[in-house]
Structures are given as structure tokens and as C-alpha cells.
Amino acid sequence: MKNLRDQIENLRQEISAFQTQDLSQVEEFRIKYLGTKGLLKNLMGLLKEVAPEQKKEAGQLLNEFKQFTEAHYETLRAASTPKASAKDTPADLSLPGDAFPVGSRHPVTLMRNQIVSIFQRLGFAVAEGPEIEDDWHNFGALNLPAHHPARDMQDTFYIQQNPDWVLRTHTSSVQIREMEKGKLPIRMLMPGRVFRNETISARSHCFFHQIEGLYIDKNVSFADLKQTLYFFVQEMYGPQAKVRFRPSYFPFTEPSAEMDVSCFICDSKGCHVCKKTGWVEILGCGMVHPNVLTNCGIDPEQYSGFAFGMGVERPAMLKYGVNDLRLFSENDVRFLKQFTAAT
Ligand code: PHE
């Protein structure tokens, strides 16, 4: 029995020390210890010679040793079995290729580009200006002197360090900058981000985008304004779209109007978008006020012009079926990815 115990102990040490990753050596290990003529079989043979009262204990020892040897063999085999690598697998050329992640334009950019391209066909060029403006370009030159009540029409963000600076509330400020350059005639489009101190909700935000337009030349009339905007609506919403102008008030235009387009969602039958009226308001417009022309060094006796301004987010919401304004500025890739194929 002592003999058996010693032999097992020696073999256990021998086996523990045996390490390889070579598959053929692993096979040699199996034959040597676990094979039909292997050492384990040999040891089992010794059981016959053990005294009957010790047989139980000897049997247990041998069993344990067998499990130990088999486990060591399995570990060696797993470690030396070559892993299937990609290059061993023949390529299946009929499978579709891996999707290539592509970026997408932001829906606000898509809408902006669409609006801009329509006016570009009428000869309008794009102008841009600063988002932090001085009081003069955002208000004063636009016929809104200090304390003018119409300043309250737009809730303004002022810059603490300098009360003369504001975050522009509209891109009309860029109109002033264009007129100040003194190069006439002007046919310009001013797209850009604007800021108003409004509570953020699904329908309003403290910043959004606008596109304003300005046309200054000799003999520009309200008829030109109407025809230009009518062209825009037809291109944008299709030949069946109708427009209507409602008198309105802006300090920088006289006369002023707001333009509605027949509801393109319900075909004017009445829905939640047009609030059952059949019409959707899309922009403000009017003839540039003579005071504004004078403020920019343009003689209102010689020149006249029209201006208009519209939001970008609202038509984008209608076109792409977006029901929450906040989605546009949250940069959630799951939202943005949906516009990969959109134009
Ligand atoms: N600036 C105006 C606004 O932000 C829009 C507008 C532009 C109206 C030009 C008339 C003419 O509401």
C-alpha cells in the first residue's frame, strides 16, 4: 500500500511538471499515462496485490489519480489545439459586404440647403455675420431705438460684460451689415443661428435657425416681393400650394406682412398642424423701412427693397416628421443617423 501511495505521488509530480503546447507531445502523454498499456492501467493492476482491508482506500487513491491525469490531459489538449483563425475559413463571396458607417447631414442643414438653393436660382447670394451683435446692428439700425416697445417682441439675451452686446435675435443684423457695405443692388440671403430667451420645450427653444432675405434696387415693389415668395412656395411645396398675405407689423418694414401657405399636411382640410384653419404661417416680410435705408447710408428716394425672414426648424419638423424641437440640438446619433439618405 505504501508502495502504491509512493508511486502515485511520484507520478503526480511528474505529470504536473509536464507542460507542452505541441499536439504530438500531448498525444504521447496520453499514450504514456492513459493508453491501454499506459501507466495508469499498470497501477490499476497493482490493486490485486493490495490487502483486502486496504482495497477501498487504494481504490479511492487510484480513482483520484485517474481523474487528475485525465484533467491534466484535457488542459494540455485545449492549450495546444490550434484555434480556428479567420484566414483558415474560406471567404464566402456571396455574402453582402460589411456596412460602412457614413455620416449624415443634420436635418436643419438639409432644410437650410434646400431653401437656399431655391433662392439661389433667383440670383440670391449667401451672407453671414456674427452671432454676438452690437445693439446697433440687432436693433438700432433696424428702426428700433433704445426703449422702443417692439424690442420686447423678441426676448433678448444680453452679454453681462458689455450691455451693448447681445446674442442676435434675428439675422436681420446681417442685412444691416450688407447694406452698410454700400454696394448696390443687393440680393442676399442670410441664414444663421439666432437666440431668444424662451423656455425650452417641444415647440420652442432658446436658439434656432433663420433664413432672411434682402433685395434692394431701384423700383423694387411689393409685387416683386410677392412674386419672389410665391416662386419659393411653389418650388418648396409644389405647384398646388397657395399663399396668402396678412397685414402685420415689424419696425424695420413698412408695409409689413406675414405669409401663410395652404396646409401641405392635410391639403387644407384642417389638421393639428394648421390648427384646423387650412393655413400655416411660414414667414414675415415687408418693404424695407425708409429709416433703415437711411441708417445704412442708402437714399430711400432712389432705392427701395423688400426683406423677409423665416425659421428653419419648423419646416424641417414638418418635412421630416419631427415632433420635438429639442431633438435638433441634442446630438443623439440615433436621431441623426435617420437622415443619412435624406436630401
Ligand atoms: N426679423 C424678423 C423676425 O425675426 C423676420 C422678418 C425679417 C420680418 C424681414 C420682416 C422682414 O421675426
Side-chain angles (χ1 to χ4, degrees), residues 105-115 192-193 208-211 312-314 316-317 320 325 327-329 335-336 339:
R105 287 200 204 287
H106 193 283
V108 168
T109 307
L110 293 171
M111 182 47 68
R112 168 199 183 275
N113 290 352
Q114 202 183 341
I115 296 172
R193 182 178 290 182
F208 55 96
H209 295 77
Q210 266 195 336
I211 297 189
V312 182
E313 274 83 352
R314 210 145 79 99
M317 286 170 93
Y320 300 117
L325 199 55
L327 286 165
F328 288 128
S329 51
F335 170 72
L336 298 174
F339 302 93

Side-chain angles (χ1 to χ4, degrees), residues 154 169-170 172 175 196 210 212 250 252-253 284-286 307-309:
Q154 305 167 347
T169 57
H170 47 192
S172 304
Q175 301 195 14
R196 293 184 194 177
Q210 266 195 336
E212 296 210 353
F250 299 103
F252 30 88
T253 47
C285 57
F308 58 87

Side-chain angles (χ1 to χ4, degrees), residues 117-145:
S117 84
I118 294 171
F119 285 103
Q120 274 175 336
R121 273 179 267 152
L122 292 175
F124 283 77
V126 169
E128 283 179 359
E131 292 180 358
I132 298 177
E133 263 301 0
D134 52 63
D135 192 274
W136 172 251
H137 287 94
N138 196 79
F139 291 126
L142 286 156
N143 204 26
L144 279 144

Side-chain angles (χ1 to χ4, degrees), residues 51-110:
E53 68 277 12
Q54 291 183 322
K55 270 209 164 55
K56 189 173 168 215
E57 194 194 342
Q60 264 173 4
L61 267 178
L62 281 165
N63 239 340
E64 263 171 40
F65 179 64
K66 183 175 176 231
Q67 278 169 11
F68 164 78
T69 313
E70 281 172 352
H72 193 76
Y73 167 68
E74 283 306 325
T75 316
L76 288 175
R77 208 168 59 112
S80 57
T81 305
K83 313 251 174 321
S85 72
K87 72 178 192 315
D88 295 333
T89 324
D92 181 351
L93 298 180
S94 68
L95 286 173
D98 288 340
F100 207 86
V102 285
S104 55
R105 287 200 204 287
H106 193 283
V108 168
T109 307
L110 293 171

Side-chain angles (χ1 to χ4, degrees), residues 15-274:
I15 288 170
S16 295
F18 185 89
Q19 295 295 341
T20 181
Q21 288 197 351
D22 182 335
L23 205 55
S24 62
Q25 284 186 23
V26 176
E27 181 58 7
E28 281 170 24
F29 174 93
R30 188 189 67 78
I31 294 168
K32 180 173 173 191
Y33 295 99
L34 296 163
T36 36
K37 290 180 188 151
L39 287 168
L40 197 73
K41 269 270 146 55
N42 228 355
L43 280 180
M44 294 290 187
L46 293 180
L47 200 57
K48 290 199 291 284
E49 292 153 28
V50 173
E53 68 277 12
Q54 291 183 322
K55 270 209 164 55
K56 189 173 168 215
E57 194 194 342
Q60 264 173 4
L61 267 178
L62 281 165
N63 239 340
E64 263 171 40
F65 179 64
K66 183 175 176 231
Q67 278 169 11
F68 164 78
T69 313
E70 281 172 352
H72 193 76
Y73 167 68
E74 283 306 325
T75 316
L76 288 175
R77 208 168 59 112
S80 57
T81 305
K83 313 251 174 321
S85 72
K87 72 178 192 315
D88 295 333
T89 324
D92 181 351
L93 298 180
S94 68
L95 286 173
D98 288 340
F100 207 86
V102 285
S104 55
R105 287 200 204 287
H106 193 283
V108 168
T109 307
L110 293 171
M111 182 47 68
R112 168 199 183 275
N113 290 352
Q114 202 183 341
I115 296 172
V116 167
S117 84
I118 294 171
F119 285 103
Q120 274 175 336
R121 273 179 267 152
L122 292 175
F124 283 77
V126 169
E128 283 179 359
E131 292 180 358
I132 298 177
E133 263 301 0
D134 52 63
D135 192 274
W136 172 251
H137 287 94
N138 196 79
F139 291 126
L142 286 156
N143 204 26
L144 279 144
H147 311 300
H148 191 290
R151 285 188 178 217
D152 294 341
M153 281 166 76
Q154 305 167 347
D155 294 310
T156 310
F157 283 118
Y158 288 87
I159 305 237
Q160 238 168 18
Q161 285 87 337
N162 186 339
D164 192 44
W165 287 348
V166 299
L167 295 183
R168 69 180 177 194
T169 57
H170 47 192
T171 55
S172 304
S173 52
V174 190
Q175 301 195 14
I176 301 299
R177 290 184 178 275
E178 281 306 307
M179 287 190 272
E180 280 174 346
K181 287 181 186 163
K183 274 213 241 134
L184 295 166
I186 295 172
R187 218 180 318 176
M188 286 285 188
L189 220 51
M190 295 84 185
R193 182 178 290 182
V194 299
F195 307 83
R196 293 184 194 177
N197 190 1
E198 287 187 22
T199 314
I200 297 171
S201 72
R203 296 183 56 85
S204 68
H205 209 290
C206 60
F207 67 80
F208 55 96
H209 295 77
Q210 266 195 336
I211 297 189
E212 296 210 353
L214 177 69
Y215 183 25
I216 310 256
D217 203 347
K218 290 187 168 144
N219 301 318
V220 177
S221 72
F222 202 91
D224 297 313
L225 167 63
K226 279 178 89 171
Q227 187 53 36
T228 303
L229 294 178
Y230 187 58
F231 173 82
F232 165 70
V233 167
Q234 301 262 295
E235 293 293 304
M236 185 83 185
Y237 297 105
Q240 75 296 337
K242 293 195 278 286
V243 295
R244 76 174 184 191
F245 289 82
R246 280 177 292 106
S248 185
Y249 171 75
F250 299 103
F252 30 88
T253 47
E254 184 59 36
S256 303
E258 276 171 307
M259 189 179 82
D260 298 341
V261 56
S262 50
C263 187
F264 36 88
I265 301 289
C266 64
D267 216 7
S268 296
K269 291 188 182 69
C271 66
H272 71 284
V273 170
C274 60

